[in-house]
Amino acid sequence: MAKDNSGKKLVANNKKVFHDFFLEETFEAGISLAGTEVKSLRAGKCSIKEAFIRIENGEVIIYGMHISPYEKGNIFNKDPLRPKKLLLHKKEIQKLLGKIAQQGYTIVPVEVYFKGGLVKVEIALARGKKLYDKRQDIAKKDMKREAERDFKIRNL
């Protein structure tokens, strides 16, 4: 787990989101977990690579977030892939509902981290990228990498 300057201890992040989506707006959400799940998160055993988020009956729920069972949890362990409720303010949920009603918008998890002892999930309102958008991003990265390499060689 990495700790950055804002007091967050990163547990898991989803780098693939930046490749597949344009992130328009981010939200910080709490998450409803059982005790053994929190202990497993403290050990860094979490994956959100396959996770996605839906809004059902006014509640935000994350599916596909894998939290490995806690080794010492025995009968208290929950199903690793069970749907988990995210905690957001009602106004934020209404805003998200209005946006995802538009064509092409979705909600994706970006990272899971501890903030002051509480587990938080950063979620983003995202719009899917087309294949040509991905190719443009790759081309920009390659050009930037080449420029940095040339600059480094000249300054040696």
Side-chain angles (χ1 to χ4, degrees):
M1 281 192 285
K3 189 169 186 173
D4 65 4
N5 55 3
S6 64
K8 299 191 316 189
K9 279 176 42 180
L10 187 64
V11 177
N13 63 353
N14 192 354
K15 292 179 183 174
K16 192 175 181 209
V17 166
F18 297 101
H19 184 261
D20 293 341
F21 297 98
F22 292 114
L23 302 183
E24 305 230 336
E25 192 173 356
T26 60
F27 298 89
E28 182 180 70
I31 185 167
S32 179
L33 296 172
T36 55
E37 290 174 321
V38 175
K39 289 181 179 185
S40 187
L41 280 175
R42 287 199 189 282
K45 299 185 190 288
C46 175
S47 173
I48 57 172
K49 284 181 174 51
E50 301 294 321
F52 61 96
I53 296 170
R54 290 210 177 118
I55 300 178
E56 298 170 354
N57 303 326
E59 293 182 344
V60 183
I61 300 173
I62 186 168
Y63 294 91
M65 178 179 171
H66 187 277
I67 299 176
S68 298
Y70 184 59
E71 290 120 27
K72 299 178 183 93
N74 56 42
I75 62 168
F76 299 107
N77 280 331
K78 303 284 185 194
D79 177 30
L81 289 171
R82 75 178 178 90
K84 296 157 191 73
K85 183 177 173 184
L86 296 181
L87 309 171
L88 286 165
H89 292 285
K90 192 176 273 187
K91 285 183 179 179
E92 291 175 325
I93 295 172
Q94 293 301 324
K95 185 175 186 177
L96 287 171
L97 264 174
K99 282 288 192 174
I100 62 170
Q102 297 177 18
Q103 191 65 30
Y105 281 97
T106 186
I107 309 168
V108 292
V110 179
E111 60 185 23
V112 179
Y113 55 90
F114 281 95
K115 183 177 179 185
L118 300 174
V119 181
K120 300 288 184 179
V121 179
E122 184 176 310
I123 62 174
L125 184 64
R127 196 169 30 107
K129 284 185 180 179
K130 304 281 189 244
L131 185 61
Y132 58 84
D133 291 329
K134 293 179 188 178
R135 287 183 183 147
Q136 284 176 343
D137 283 353
I138 291 170
K140 283 180 187 173
K141 282 183 188 174
D142 287 344
M143 287 171 50
K144 185 177 178 185
R145 199 175 299 125
E146 283 291 326
E148 286 176 357
R149 192 177 300 136
D150 291 343
F151 181 73
K152 186 176 180 182
I153 290 171
R154 268 189 252 131
N155 288 339
L156 281 179

